[in-house]
Amino acid sequence: MPSPADSSEIKEPQFEANPAGIDRSTVDPWIAQSIPGATLPLRYTLIAGGRSNLTYRVDDAAGNSYVLRRPPLGHLLPSAHDMGREFRIISALRTTSVPVAEALGFCDDPSVLDRMFYVMRFRDGLILRTQEDAEQLAIETRAKVSRSLVGVLGDLHALDVEAVGLGQLGKHDGYIARQLNRWHSQFTASKLREVPLVDAVFEKLSARIPTQQGVSIVHGDYRLDNTMVNDAGDIVAVLDWEICTLGDPLADLGVLFVYSPEPGDPNPPLGYAPTMADGFARRPELLATYEQRSGLDVSNIDFYVAFAYWKLACILDGVYTRYKTGAMANDGFDFEEYNTQVINLAQLAEQELETSR
């Protein structure tokens, strides 16, 4: 998978004259008119690494840099890839302790683009996707990254959903049951072949849902490579709020654990992870830190890890379907790997449930 980088590595990017997913004849003038300070001409670069919404860096003639987010090409499932929702969330969080990029403009006019999109300010920082990316940082800095990552998650879950204006973002109770039904429905609607284990784990998870402890803003895909960090190891922006809603905060912790394999882990969920480099905090430390900060009972964490594995299987199956049907921008990644990863993730979910009994 291509390795993303900090802004210093794209000083001279290969800008696309006619980037896929952008109609420059209408999008360029909209940005110039709607984003204060934006100056034509604009230059677009598809940011590699995204497997869902299409994300572009946009540089203008005045030296300003922005990020444009739009849904993937092709057919979309109902309620998926809601750019207005994502724009609303980062706008609401802008004045909180949770670091996000500044939301600048939202467009739902079909005469501008075939799908709604939004523009936010470009943030400088590192995105750590691989062990090699993480090894750019000093080993003591990696430990600070772990502390910052859990700290920001604790800050997010501590926010008063009504006070920040997101009390109507979703239902407050029954989060896991709703999520199980949502992802299973999307898996069923988009799958190109049968994967019986995904269905079997769905039934097992549905029968063992823990009692929800309060209501929090739940990012839904909280992991290190959905954040940007600075050279000091601080999280400077949390990215990709596409599936954020309200619900059970421990679901985010389960996702974080799934994406935090340790050095030497023989079966990382995607075959790679920045936390496989030395220096990052491990699961017991992350769990203890989060428990102390949140005051929540984390004794059922194995369930949430199993749920996170299973949800990732459903997500990757949807990405695989979009790839096979031609709805994904081609950045050279071999999406055929996702076909086997879906089964592998469902097996990991089942194993997590079995060992937690």
Side-chain angles (χ1 to χ4, degrees), residues 134-145 277-281:
E135 288 170 349
Q136 298 177 51
L137 299 176
I139 193 166
E140 60 273 13
T141 305
R142 298 171 213 163
K144 185 177 180 181
V145 169
D278 291 328
F280 289 100

Side-chain angles (χ1 to χ4, degrees), residues 2-15 45 57 122 124-128 130 132-133 136:
S3 174
D6 66 349
S7 58
S8 66
E9 289 184 301
I10 47 178
K11 291 178 180 177
E12 298 295 336
Q14 296 299 309
F15 297 108
T45 305
R57 174 173 170 168
F122 180 83
D124 285 309
L126 299 166
I127 298 179
L128 307 178
T130 67
E132 291 72 23
D133 293 335
Q136 298 177 51

Side-chain angles (χ1 to χ4, degrees), residues 153 210 213 248-258 283-284 286-288 290 297-309 352-353 356:
L153 185 62
Q213 300 177 68
D248 191 331
L250 292 183
D252 274 340
L253 194 61
V255 170
L256 181 59
F257 279 14
V258 162
R283 279 189 180 183
L286 293 173
L287 187 64
Y290 181 85
D297 177 4
V298 296
S299 60
N300 282 320
I301 189 60
D302 291 337
F303 172 89
Y304 294 96
V305 173
F307 169 65
Y309 277 128
E352 200 75 31
L353 284 174
S356 66

Side-chain angles (χ1 to χ4, degrees), residues 44-325:
Y44 296 81
T45 305
L46 180 65
I47 298 175
R51 305 300 176 205
S52 183
N53 293 318
L54 300 181
T55 306
Y56 308 83
R57 174 173 170 168
V58 184
D59 294 272
D60 76 358
N64 301 309
S65 296
Y66 313 99
V67 172
L68 184 151
R69 293 260 292 169
R70 61 147 293 160
L73 307 177
H75 174 71
L76 302 181
L77 293 171
S79 79
H81 312 287
D82 186 343
M83 295 291 93
R85 181 186 183 88
E86 192 166 329
F87 182 80
R88 175 188 170 196
I89 290 165
I90 64 173
S91 297
L93 294 177
R94 180 69 180 133
T95 59
T96 73
S97 59
V98 178
V100 292
E102 181 184 0
L104 298 175
F106 170 72
C107 180
D108 60 358
D109 183 350
S111 69
V112 176
L113 198 60
D114 61 327
R115 299 281 192 255
M116 63 180 66
F117 66 92
Y118 74 89
V119 175
M120 58 185 170
R121 195 170 304 282
F122 180 83
R123 295 291 299 269
D124 285 309
L126 299 166
I127 298 179
L128 307 178
R129 296 191 190 276
T130 67
Q131 180 176 338
E132 291 72 23
D133 293 335
E135 288 170 349
Q136 298 177 51
L137 299 176
I139 193 166
E140 60 273 13
T141 305
R142 298 171 213 163
K144 185 177 180 181
V145 169
S146 293
R147 293 192 296 271
S148 181
L149 191 64
V150 175
V152 169
L153 185 62
D155 288 347
L156 176 66
H157 292 162
L159 292 176
D160 183 322
V161 298
E162 300 292 348
V164 298
L166 294 175
Q168 302 302 312
L169 187 64
K171 295 180 180 179
H172 289 206
D173 300 316
Y175 171 80
I176 293 294
R178 294 197 313 275
Q179 286 284 297
L180 283 166
N181 290 328
R182 174 194 175 188
W183 289 108
H184 190 247
S185 295
Q186 292 203 8
F187 167 76
T188 301
S190 67
K191 65 183 178 181
L192 299 178
R193 74 276 188 255
E194 295 300 319
V195 190
L197 188 56
V198 171
D199 300 307
V201 174
F202 165 74
E203 297 295 340
K204 292 179 180 180
L205 288 166
S206 298
R208 296 179 57 180
I209 300 174
T211 301
Q212 181 174 314
Q213 300 177 68
V215 58
S216 298
I217 299 170
V218 177
H219 180 278
D221 199 17
Y222 192 80
R223 61 185 199 256
L224 182 53
D225 65 334
N226 267 341
T227 69
M228 298 186 76
V229 304
N230 61 20
D231 291 336
D234 297 309
I235 304 298
V236 295
V238 180
L239 310 172
D240 200 357
W241 296 88
E242 176 185 349
I243 57 177
C244 174
T245 188
L246 302 182
D248 191 331
L250 292 183
D252 274 340
L253 194 61
V255 170
L256 181 59
F257 279 14
V258 162
Y259 282 100
S260 301
E262 301 184 2
D265 190 324
N267 200 19
L270 295 181
Y272 64 94
T275 56
M276 296 181 75
D278 291 328
F280 289 100
R282 303 308 166 201
R283 279 189 180 183
E285 183 180 347
L286 293 173
L287 187 64
T289 301
Y290 181 85
E291 182 177 30
Q292 182 178 22
R293 188 180 187 96
S294 68
L296 298 177
D297 177 4
V298 296
S299 60
N300 282 320
I301 189 60
D302 291 337
F303 172 89
Y304 294 96
V305 173
F307 169 65
Y309 277 128
W310 176 84
K311 185 178 78 170
L312 181 55
C314 294
I315 291 172
L316 292 193
D317 193 75
V319 175
Y320 178 72
T321 294
R322 290 197 295 277
Y323 157 70
K324 293 294 285 186
T325 56

